[in-house]
Every structure is written in structure tokens, then in C-alpha cells.
Amino acid sequence: MTRIKSFLQWLTETKLGFFIIVLVAFWLKTYVIYLTKFNLGAVGSMQNFLLLLNPLPAGVLLLGIGLFFKGRKSYWIMIAIDLVLSLWLFANILYYREFSNFLSLSIIKTSGSTADNLGKSIVGITRATDFLALLDVAIIVALLCSKLIKYDLRPLKFKFNVLVEALAVLMIGLNLLMAQKDRSGLLTRTFDNNYIVKYLGMNEYAVYDGFKTAQTSAQMAKANVSDLGSVQKYLKANYVKPNPQYTGVAKGKNVLVIHLESFQQFLIGYKWKGKAVTPNLNKLYHAKDTLSFANFYNQVGQGKTSDAEMMLENSLYGLQSGSAMSSYGTSNTFESAPAILNQQGGYTTAVMHGGAGSFWNRNNAYKQFGYQYFMPLSYYQNKPKYYIGYGLKDKIFFNQSIKYIERLPQPFYLKMITVTNHYPYEIDKKNQSIDKTDTEDETVDGYVQTAHYLDQAIGELMQWLKKTGLDKNTLIMMYGDHYGISGNHHKASAQLLNQDEFTDFDNLKFQRVPLMFHMKGLKGGIKKTYGGEIDVLPTLLNLLGINDKGTIQFGHDLLSKGAPQIVAQRNGDFITPQYAKVGGTYYDTKTGTEIAKPDKKLKMQLVAISNKVTTQLSLSDRVIDGNLLRFYKPKWFKKVKASDYDYNKDKALKKLFSVNKTSLWYHNHKKTTQKKFKTDAPELEK
């Protein structure tokens, strides 16, 4: 008993004892948060040991800085460091809950481009238990202020402090060696930040991410034309000829791209309490003149929607860390869909979006892509009841877009970005026409309500297209940009799908999103081909009969008989019709069973697929990080000059509303078609 009392006295009355209290509290807290707030997937004794160990080395190194200071300052510096580390942990808890990933320097640097309504989302995802990350700091401060912990004003020897820091560095080195032994190529071939945190820790991940960000900046500075050689060699070796039966079937048609926000494939045909969640999209998906893809996957990383746009417009992957549109959209050279269609097909190109123009840096990136018009929220009438979450409600947005669509010179390439079906999946009572699900997961249960509202809005737009006759001359493409329900909701997802469990493999399959091409007279059908967002651009261009020879594209025509059907995920996972990889585990795609012990032949095959995925992601990163397209263009392609485009509302509308004989407005005897758009939006009732 005396020894325990002496030990407690040493802890509470010496500087070194205080250091131990702060360190142990930080260490154990971090470990508990690893287990309860993140889905790191530690498997086996080594991974679990490293998960327990890895908060300690960084804690010793950083908190040990306080030991070098004298008097009370030493204590408060340790507390300040602990607070910073705890805030970093807290921020990642919130970010991970929404995005299943960790904060990166790129995301933090470009947070201004995604800040619209961010506060509401943070409040919506914060839980009381999240404050565990800050609890130990508050308790320690309270103990110190109440004098239950007493100041020890005696300085520690400088050599001892240096020894503590040296011990921390040694521990970091040993941690890294053990991690590399269990996971070779951890720092050179890893596309999944979960691995870095699982093996090395949150703070080591921050250092790694900072290093990678600096490395990326250096790569761009050093990049030259010769770096394109390996990219072109790979693309030539892996070229797949488009399907000639579909080449040019939509030649000269308008293209209307409808972005279905956070919309997952499972919603197609899904019913809740006997009511179809998406009746209009169900009908479109199964129509005889719709090409639908049942195994089409989102492939986004941290850039979420912006990654989807990067792939659809350029057939280039988003980045391993951050958003390519936010980080490089202002400065990089691209060979994008709008520029190709304008130059090769005489298309008028436009984007309409009921949200902030600066979100994901769209107001700059779209100029680099070659969009002639960009109509964000500032082009629309906005009232409090019109707006929810991240922009105008979809019915309001479509209704107000008619006056712009009808004035576009044809053929046009128009992308319309919906936002109502966005986290936190809230919709006012007057617009609720289906009940919430009852999983008791607040993040999930509103999803069917906002998806149903989006479907109703799509139905209204489709009716307008039919009434105006625009549907006869338009190829309509609809796609889901990314998941709506993240991998942090396994229990609720199992309930939605009426399954006993929801595994990591199920979550990979959950990444499927709709892709549909609809056009009068199109030979449609539901295709079982495996593909992803990277494949949309070459598929679309082939349907339109547009030449894209010599462009740098990593996707393939989804209708090609030679399509490779290897769908890469941004973290290095993949799925094919036969096999899938999630983390370090392989699965049989058809049965969902784990391939625990593949034979030598199968193992070689799986490794080959994995290496191909890694190569493709790396080469795409090289194109964006090095801005390699500034050194190259096909002979027929004219490089885009951002200065040629001006999204000033007055100037743009003056140009748009000038008389053009190819516009829908002109063909409607120079009269608006607004009255042909019928909506039941309660906000517009008189």
C-alpha cells in the first residue's frame, strides 16, 4: 500500500510523473478510438499489436518536447501539445464517419472550396462519444487547476530529455520495421490510408501525407515531356477497340448528363413499406431504349463528387489524397469531354448547378475543361424555402433551369448536378412522400426520402423533355457519383438489404451506382459488364461517333467485347467478374467467399490483377501530379485556354439569350417552353 501511495505521489508531484499521466491517457484514448471510431481492419496478432503500439512512439516524441522547458511552462506546453493531437484525432473521427477516410493536407488546403454548409454537416454527424478524444485533456487540466496534480519546478537534465526523444525515434523505427515486415511496400505501394494509420498511427500518417503532398509538388516542378512515355506505352499496350455496332448511334444528338447525387444502385427497384423508392428511374432503367449497367462502380477517393467528375470528363482517376479538381483544376491542362465535343462535334457545352460555384473549385476547373457556360447558384432565384443542404432543391433547380436549357444552341452537351440527395439526407415535411427506414441509424434512415424526392424531380424533367420533343434528339446519360451510405454503417446496411450480416466484400459491392444511356431508338438492355466511372468518357464518345484518337484516357468502352472488366478502387482494391480484393483479402466475386489459400496459379493471377490496378492508378496520378498534358496533345486537339471563358452572369446570359436558330426556344416559335414544365413543388404553389 505504501508503494502504491508513493507511486501515486510521484505521478502527481513530479514533472516526469505528469508526463507519464498525459502520455498514458493519450495512448489509451487513441487506441480505444481506433477500435470504436474507425474501421481499420486489423487482422492477426501482429496487426493488433501494432495498432496498440503505434500511438505510443509519436506520443513520447511530441509530448516529450515539453520536458525541455522549465517550471510551469513545461506542464502547459505538454497540455497544449496533447490538445492539438486530440483535436486532430477529433477532426478525423468526424471526417472518417462521413468519408471513410482520414483528413489529408490537400483536403485541408482546399477546404475553402467545399465549405458551403459544412457546419451543418459537422453538427449532424457529431456524437457525444466523439468528445472522448478531448476528455482526458479536460480532466488533466482540472486536476492541475485543483492542485491534485502539483507543479514540479525542478528542471530535468538535458541529457535525459534527449534520451527520451531518442527512445521515441527508436520506437518509431522499430514500429516501421515490424510494419514493413507484415506489409511489404507499405509506404511505396499503399493507396489506402487505413493501412498507414493501422500500422503506423494517426500522427505518422499526417507526416506521411505531408511528405507525399510535398513530393507531388516537386514532381510537377520536375516533370517533362519524357515522363509521358511510360503512360503512352501502357495505354497503347492496353488499348481496347470500341464496339463498332454502337459507334455513332447517337451522332449529332444533344447530350444531357444528369448527376444523381450520392445515388447507389441498390435503390433501383428498392421498395420500402411496399412503395417503390425510385419509380421513374426504375422505369427508365428497364426501358427497351436504355443501356443500363448493372455492375457499374463508383471509383472515387477523398475528392468524392469531384473525383467522379474528373473521371467522367477526362477518364483520369482522382488523386490518392485530396481532390484533383480543387488542387489542380485551376492550373492543369486537360483534354476533357466538353473541349473534345466542342472541337469535334460543334457542341455547346454547359453545366447547371444549384449550389455554390466555388464548391470543389468548379468555377476554375470548368474553364480548364473547356465548358463555355457554368451556371451555379448565382444564376438562380434563391429563397430560404428553396434551398436545403448544399443547394437548391432538385425540383426548384430543374424548374428554374428551363429558361436556360431552351436557349442553348444545339447540339449541346449539358451536365445538370442535383444535390438534394446529399448527406445528411434531410428534406422538409411538405416534400416527404415516403417514410424513413427504421434501422435506427440517423445517417441512413432519411436516405430513401431524399432519393425518392430526387426521383420525382427526374420524372418532372423527363415529362418536360417529352412535351417539348427534346427527348427525340437527346441522349440522356444518368449516373450516380458515389455511395450515399458509407462503410461505417454495416448494421444499418444489412437491415436495408435484409441480410443477416454486411461484410467488407458486401461493402465493395455496395459501391455500385447507376449508369444509364437513354435515347429514342437506342438498342438498349441491361448489361452485366463490370466497369467504373473511368470508362464513361470513351463509352460516350463512341456512342456519339466522336474521334478521341491519341487522347490520354485510362478507361475503355463499356460496350466493347474486349473490355477488361477490372474495376479499380482508389485505395487499390478491385473487383472483376471472377475475383475481388478488399484490403489484403481476396474474394470469389460470384459467391462472396474469401479465398484464404489460393493455389500458386491463382495467386499469380490475383497478384497480376492487383499490380495492373496499382500501375493504372500510379500512371494516372503521374499525369495529374506532373501536369503532363501540358507537354502533349493530339494533332487535332486545340489546347484549352481558360481565359477564353467568362462565367460572369450578365455577360454569359447576354450571349445565351441572343437569337440562335438551333435552340429549342427558336424552334418553339421564339416562345418559352416554361409552361410545359409541371412540378408539384409545394414551394411554388400560389
Side-chain angles (χ1 to χ4, degrees):
M1 193 70 183
T2 305
R3 288 184 178 180
I4 295 174
K5 187 175 180 181
S6 297
F7 177 68
L8 289 175
Q9 187 176 4
W10 176 80
L11 279 177
T12 58
E13 295 184 7
T14 67
K15 182 187 295 186
L16 189 57
F18 181 76
F19 169 75
I20 296 297
I21 290 173
V22 177
L23 175 63
V24 171
F26 169 76
W27 175 27
L28 295 179
K29 166 189 70 180
T30 304
Y31 179 63
V32 170
I33 287 171
Y34 281 172
L35 296 177
T36 59
K37 300 296 184 180
F38 305 133
N39 184 26
L40 298 178
V43 178
S45 56
M46 177 58 78
Q47 291 185 18
N48 278 289
F49 172 72
L50 291 174
L51 194 68
L52 172 64
L53 172 69
N54 74 45
L56 192 57
V60 174
L61 182 71
L62 297 171
L63 293 170
I65 293 170
L67 297 176
F68 287 90
F69 293 86
K70 297 178 182 180
R72 299 187 179 195
K73 184 185 292 185
S74 175
Y75 283 70
W76 288 103
I77 285 175
M78 279 188 264
I79 289 172
I81 293 170
D82 190 20
L83 178 61
V84 170
L85 297 177
S86 299
L87 287 170
W88 171 241
L89 197 57
F90 180 78
N92 274 282
I93 290 170
L94 301 185
Y95 187 80
Y96 194 93
R97 183 168 294 135
E98 171 65 1
F99 299 108
S100 297
N101 209 330
F102 296 96
L103 280 165
S104 67
L105 184 60
S106 299
I107 286 292
I108 294 169
K109 284 169 61 179
T110 58
S111 60
S113 69
T114 58
D116 184 53
N117 208 42
L118 187 60
K120 186 176 181 180
S121 289
I122 290 173
V123 171
I125 62 177
T126 303
R127 298 173 184 170
T129 54
D130 298 340
F131 291 96
L132 171 66
L134 303 167
L135 182 62
D136 62 314
V137 181
I139 291 173
I140 289 169
V141 169
L143 290 173
L144 195 60
C145 291
S146 64
K147 298 183 180 180
L148 290 173
I149 292 178
K150 298 177 181 178
Y151 292 107
D152 178 10
L153 304 181
R154 296 171 297 173
L156 292 170
K157 291 184 179 180
F158 182 79
K159 288 183 179 180
F160 177 82
N161 298 336
V162 172
L163 185 63
V164 170
E165 297 298 279
L167 176 63
V169 173
L170 179 62
M171 291 171 69
I172 290 171
L174 288 172
N175 188 354
L176 181 58
L177 284 173
M178 288 187 286
Q180 288 279 21
K181 186 176 181 180
D182 193 69
R183 170 81 177 181
S184 60
L186 176 66
L187 298 179
T188 56
R189 294 171 59 82
T190 293
F191 290 95
D192 189 348
N193 293 328
N194 281 290
Y195 277 77
I196 304 298
V197 175
K198 175 171 66 176
Y199 281 105
L200 302 180
M202 283 290 306
N203 300 300
E204 288 82 353
Y205 157 72
V207 174
Y208 168 81
D209 177 67
F211 173 78
K212 293 292 289 185
T213 301
Q215 188 180 53
T216 296
S217 299
Q219 283 175 348
M220 181 178 285
K222 293 189 297 182
N224 57 64
V225 67
S226 64
D227 293 328
L228 263 174
S230 57
V231 176
Q232 291 172 306
K233 183 179 178 181
Y234 173 84
L235 294 179
K236 184 178 180 180
N238 291 274
Y239 175 75
V240 174
K241 186 178 180 181
N243 188 335
Q245 293 180 341
Y246 281 94
T247 301
V249 296
K251 192 173 184 65
K253 301 288 188 181
N254 298 315
V255 180
L256 174 57
V257 179
I258 301 179
H259 168 112
L260 305 173
E261 175 61 40
S262 305
F263 196 96
Q264 292 178 236
Q265 176 71 15
F266 86 88
L267 288 168
I268 300 294
Y270 189 78
K271 290 185 177 181
W272 176 242
K273 292 185 176 180
K275 186 174 184 178
V277 175
T278 58
N280 293 297
L281 289 170
N282 294 349
K283 183 179 178 181
L284 195 68
Y285 183 82
H286 293 282
K288 64 179 181 179
D289 47 8
T290 299
L291 278 169
S292 303
F293 293 85
N295 294 304
F296 179 77
Y297 285 76
N298 88 76
Q299 298 172 285
V300 305
Q302 288 187 332
K304 298 293 287 299
T305 295
S306 69
D307 283 357
E309 291 193 67
M310 179 61 68
M311 286 183 276
L312 268 76
E313 303 285 18
N314 300 280
S315 198
L316 295 171
Y317 290 98
L319 299 176
Q320 177 185 356
S321 177
S323 161
M325 273 179 59
S326 295
S327 299
Y328 297 107
T330 305
S331 58
N332 272 27
T333 298
F334 296 98
E335 297 165 1
S336 306
I340 293 171
L341 289 172
N342 176 256
Q343 294 179 27
Q344 293 286 87
Y347 278 78
T348 303
T349 59
V351 180
M352 297 177 189
H353 173 46
S358 59
F359 203 85
W360 292 125
N361 194 35
R362 286 186 174 108
N363 50 357
N364 293 309
Y366 285 163
K367 292 178 181 178
Q368 297 296 126
F369 290 177
Y371 272 112
Q372 295 164 300
Y373 295 97
F374 175 38
M375 301 165 186
L377 183 60
S378 58
Y379 281 68
Y380 294 81
Q381 183 184 15
N382 186 17
K383 296 180 180 179
K385 61 182 180 179
Y386 288 1
Y387 193 98
I388 193 167
Y390 285 77
L392 291 178
K393 296 172 188 174
D394 298 335
K395 291 180 182 180
I396 306 293
F397 167 58
F398 285 150
N399 179 60
Q400 289 194 40
S401 295
I402 300 305
K403 59 181 176 290
Y404 300 137
I405 300 173
E406 65 185 7
R407 301 302 291 253
L408 286 172
Q410 300 184 64
F412 58 71
Y413 173 67
L414 169 62
K415 177 165 65 176
M416 303 188 78
I417 302 174
T418 65
V419 296
T420 306
N421 191 46
H422 193 293
Y423 182 85
Y425 311 120
E426 295 177 346
I427 192 75
D428 53 289
K429 195 168 184 178
K430 285 186 177 181
N431 281 297
Q432 294 174 12
S433 52
I434 193 170
D435 291 337
K436 287 185 176 182
T437 52
D438 56 6
T439 69
E440 297 183 359
D441 186 326
E442 292 182 5
T443 302
V444 172
D445 285 337
Y447 187 50
V448 294
Q449 289 190 325
T450 51
H452 187 65
Y453 175 87
L454 168 59
D455 180 80
Q456 290 176 322
I458 295 294
E460 293 178 352
L461 181 64
M462 294 298 292
Q463 284 297 312
W464 175 80
L465 290 169
K466 186 176 181 179
K467 288 178 181 178
T468 59
L470 202 58
D471 65 327
K472 297 176 183 177
N473 194 39
T474 302
L475 174 66
I476 301 167
M477 185 184 98
M478 297 190 188
Y479 74 98
D481 61 335
H482 55 72
Y483 60 81
I485 302 171
S486 76
N488 296 315
H489 305 278
H490 281 204
K491 183 180 178 181
S493 298
Q495 288 179 256
L496 285 179
L497 301 179
N498 197 26
Q499 297 177 184
D500 294 331
E501 62 175 354
F502 188 84
T503 66
D504 288 340
F505 174 75
D506 290 324
N507 188 56
L508 177 59
K509 295 279 286 185
F510 217 38
Q511 302 311 307
R512 290 183 301 156
V513 293
L515 175 66
M516 295 176 263
F517 294 97
H518 176 78
M519 184 183 72
K520 294 290 184 182
L522 180 65
K523 184 181 178 181
I526 299 174
K527 305 299 181 182
K528 301 297 178 65
T529 306
Y530 278 67
E533 290 164 330
I534 200 74
D535 301 311
V536 172
L537 180 58
T539 305
L540 174 63
L541 293 178
N542 186 52
L543 290 170
L544 296 173
I546 295 291
N547 172 38
D548 62 347
K549 185 178 180 180
T551 55
I552 303 297
Q553 296 178 15
F554 284 87
H556 308 277
D557 175 21
L558 287 167
L559 296 165
S560 172
K561 294 179 181 179
Q565 300 196 72
I566 297 174
V567 187
Q569 292 293 299
R570 182 59 260 195
N571 61 4
D573 292 346
F574 66 77
I575 189 165
T576 75
Q578 297 81 32
Y579 309 112
K581 179 188 176 188
V582 182
T585 305
Y586 294 100
Y587 295 88
D588 182 302
T589 300
K590 293 180 181 178
T591 65
T593 56
E594 181 182 339
I595 304 174
K597 295 181 180 179
D599 58 36
K600 186 176 180 181
K601 183 179 179 181
L602 179 54
K603 187 173 183 180
M604 288 178 65
Q605 187 178 350
L606 294 172
V607 169
I609 297 172
S610 189
N611 287 341
K612 186 169 186 177
V613 167
T614 302
T615 299
Q616 195 174 79
L617 292 169
S618 297
L619 290 175
S620 178
D621 286 349
R622 192 179 301 178
V623 172
I624 294 178
D625 291 338
N627 191 15
L628 297 186
L629 295 183
R630 61 186 156 147
F631 302 122
Y632 164 83
K633 69 177 183 66
K635 291 181 180 179
W636 55 266
F637 185 78
K638 181 182 177 182
K639 283 191 176 182
V640 173
K641 291 183 180 179
S643 58
D644 289 343
Y645 306 101
D646 190 343
Y647 298 150
N648 175 273
K649 182 179 178 181
D650 292 337
K651 292 180 181 179
L653 292 185
K654 183 179 180 181
K655 180 181 178 182
L656 182 67
F657 284 104
S658 60
V659 176
N660 188 287
K661 294 183 179 181
T662 65
S663 69
L664 175 63
W665 171 83
Y666 190 88
H667 287 294
N668 194 48
H669 310 292
K670 298 182 183 180
K671 294 180 180 178
T672 183
T673 61
Q674 185 68 54
K675 289 184 178 180
K676 294 181 180 181
F677 186 91
K678 302 298 181 183
T679 178
D680 63 1
E683 300 86 355
L684 300 179
E685 291 178 358
K686 294 182 179 178

